[in-house]
Amino acid sequence: MAEKGKTPLTGEETYSETELKKELQRLLKVILEEDECSIDMTINSIGILSRLTEMKLNQSVGTVSGSAQEQILQWCEEHGVAAPKVDHDIHEPTTDQCYVNSLLEKLSSSHSDQKEAAKELHSQTKTMPSCRAVFSEIPDGISRLLNPLSATKVDSDPELQEDLIATVLNISTVDNNKKLIAKHPVVIPLLAASMRSGTIATKRNAAAALFTISTLNSNKRIIGNSSALVPLLELLRVGHPLAVKDAVSAIFSLCQLRKNIVKFTEIGAVKVIMHKLNDGILVDELLGILALLSQYQDAIDDIKDPTTFPQFIQIIRKNKSKLAQKAFDTILYNVCDVFVFPIGLIHIQQNVGKSNADAFAGLSCQKPWCDCSSKCCIRIESTH
């Protein structure tokens, strides 16, 4: 090795990591034992530490995550150490990918290992965005994730079910995963089954996952053609208030597609929504769904039903928010017949029945540029 006082970093010699460590130990021993040590020794020790650090960085930089690589390069710049070279042509698995893959392997092991791995996947995908993203890069990642649920009764272990469905929700927030999840033959049926049976958190997360993946229009069609609509509506009807909120979000998103409006109407969505409106639950949101449904004639017929329409009017009278009034205007426009009267015609309505009746009339100047907020446009509500 180098002579005392001389640096092992000069010249063309290449030293191994072991040799550098031994030299560092020798220098530190001299520094600690002698009362006075030369500046050269201190400089030599710092130089060896820098060389060892550089070696470690070169060994690990290709296998750590992108954020860790940035931290390494920043450290090198701040401390004057040569940045390690990274071969970008070599696509080595990241630390996150390797870790998630190891947890997926445990899901094929014993029941206790499955529960431990599921809980860890739930935690990691909740707090680490990078762990959510890697699922699109792991072969059969989603199949392996849900294997414990698809291989047996979905709610045979409620805790395991809760962790795995929560993981599905977490990874569904990544755009690259949305199509993979929706197109997977197992995922949506398992989400539908989990809305029927499971803990409150499981039902809520299953509905929330459907909402998240339904943000893609192509996924709206896939979900609409699946078995998920009936349990979604049932969750809205009898679910826990927190789960109901997620069900409402999912239904509203799905009803942006006309085919789903037809399907929800056919399975009785109008009656379920009217029942929840009478309870005063999520009125603005439910009226928004009803406004979408009112584009379909069968839904209009349900709303105009003699037992339903009076309830609808009472609900509107109790709720004066802007969202409720906007939804009400849309529904009323779709439900009621619209007449256009010639200029100068006086329109008179008379209740010919023996009981009170509600009359709603909208009078407009018919100007194309009118936004219905000027004085020339009025709406009349009266009771006779």
Side-chain angles (χ1 to χ4, degrees):
M1 197 64 185
E3 296 177 9
K4 181 177 178 180
K6 292 186 178 181
T7 175
L9 304 179
T10 57
E12 300 297 327
E13 297 89 345
T14 301
Y15 296 95
S16 67
E17 183 177 343
T18 302
E19 289 175 323
L20 289 172
K21 287 180 178 179
K22 287 181 179 179
E23 178 63 9
L24 180 60
Q25 288 176 343
R26 186 188 71 78
L27 289 173
L28 291 176
K29 185 177 180 181
V30 172
I31 291 172
L32 292 172
E33 289 179 353
E34 292 185 2
D35 294 333
E36 295 183 4
C37 62
S38 65
I39 295 177
D40 287 342
M41 284 189 181
T42 304
I43 293 174
N44 288 348
S45 300
I46 295 172
I48 293 173
L49 282 172
S50 297
R51 179 64 64 84
L52 287 171
T53 301
E54 185 178 345
M55 286 180 172
K56 286 293 183 183
L57 292 177
N58 280 315
Q59 289 170 7
S60 61
V61 73
T63 59
V64 299
S65 63
S67 59
Q69 288 184 20
E70 291 178 4
Q71 292 176 3
I72 290 172
L73 295 176
Q74 183 179 353
W75 184 93
C76 291
E77 184 178 350
E78 291 175 354
H79 292 80
V81 177
K85 295 180 180 179
V86 181
D87 189 350
H88 295 286
D89 294 329
I90 300 177
H91 299 286
E92 302 230 9
T94 64
T95 303
D96 292 327
Q97 187 173 340
C98 291
Y99 184 55
V100 170
N101 196 52
S102 68
L103 293 174
L104 292 175
E105 289 178 1
K106 289 182 70 175
L107 288 176
S108 300
S109 189
S110 65
H111 186 65
S112 59
D113 284 345
Q114 288 179 351
K115 295 188 68 170
E116 182 182 344
K119 191 169 291 296
E120 184 65 9
L121 281 167
H122 178 187
S123 174
Q124 291 298 315
T125 55
K126 181 179 180 180
T127 58
M128 299 287 292
S130 55
C131 287
R132 301 172 211 156
V134 297
F135 270 86
S136 61
E137 303 167 6
I138 298 176
D140 299 324
I142 296 173
S143 297
R144 293 159 66 192
L145 171 67
L146 296 176
N147 182 61
L149 296 182
S150 56
T152 183
K153 189 179 178 182
V154 68
D155 61 342
S156 58
D157 186 330
E159 186 178 354
L160 176 65
Q161 178 195 17
E162 183 177 319
D163 284 325
L164 292 179
I165 295 300
T167 302
V168 172
L169 170 59
N170 293 339
I171 67 175
S172 70
T173 59
V174 178
D175 288 341
N176 288 342
N177 293 337
K178 284 181 169 65
K179 284 187 177 180
L180 291 175
I181 293 172
K183 290 182 177 180
H184 195 284
V186 170
V187 177
I188 293 178
L190 282 178
L191 293 177
S194 295
M195 286 188 290
R196 289 192 181 98
S197 57
T199 64
I200 293 173
T202 296
K203 293 178 179 180
R204 183 184 181 186
N205 288 335
L210 286 173
F211 164 68
T212 304
I213 63 177
S214 71
T215 55
L216 295 181
N217 286 331
S218 58
N219 288 350
K220 287 181 175 67
R221 296 185 183 90
I222 295 173
I223 298 170
N225 293 328
S226 73
S227 59
L229 302 192
V230 172
L232 254 180
L233 192 61
E234 186 66 11
L235 189 62
L236 170 60
R237 189 177 73 86
V238 296
H240 186 277
L242 292 176
V244 166
K245 187 173 183 179
D246 289 299
V248 167
S249 298
I251 293 172
F252 183 85
S253 175
L254 291 169
C255 283
Q256 304 298 317
L257 191 68
R258 182 169 176 79
K259 287 184 177 180
N260 291 338
I261 290 176
V262 174
K263 291 181 179 181
F264 272 115
T265 302
E266 290 174 347
I267 61 177
V270 171
K271 290 184 178 179
V272 173
I273 290 172
M274 289 303 302
H275 175 74
K276 302 306 287 188
L277 285 171
N278 284 329
D279 293 339
I281 297 173
L282 299 172
V283 173
D284 289 350
E285 292 85 350
L286 289 172
L287 283 173
I289 296 175
L290 203 60
L292 292 172
L293 295 178
S294 68
Q295 301 174 57
Y296 180 52
Q297 185 58 49
D298 285 359
I300 292 174
D301 294 339
D302 289 341
I303 296 171
K304 291 171 68 175
D305 183 272
T307 61
T308 302
F309 197 69
Q311 298 176 21
F312 173 67
I313 299 303
Q314 292 300 320
I315 291 166
I316 294 302
R317 283 178 171 173
K318 294 177 183 177
N319 297 275
K320 300 297 182 180
S321 72
K322 290 184 178 179
L323 287 175
Q325 290 300 315
K326 183 178 180 180
F328 168 70
D329 289 342
T330 301
I331 296 167
L332 196 63
Y333 178 82
N334 291 333
V335 170
C336 298
D337 295 327
V338 178
F339 300 93
V340 178
F341 299 98
I343 295 175
L345 179 69
I346 298 176
H347 178 220
I348 299 174
Q349 289 181 313
Q350 180 181 3
N351 176 21
V352 297
K354 295 181 180 181
S355 59
N356 290 338
D358 290 313
F360 292 85
L363 305 181
S364 169
C365 63
Q366 303 299 314
K367 295 176 182 176
W369 57 85
C370 181
D371 62 359
C372 293
S373 61
S374 60
K375 293 181 179 179
C376 62
C377 300
I378 61 173
R379 189 175 80 188
I380 301 172
E381 299 181 23
S382 60
T383 302
H384 303 283

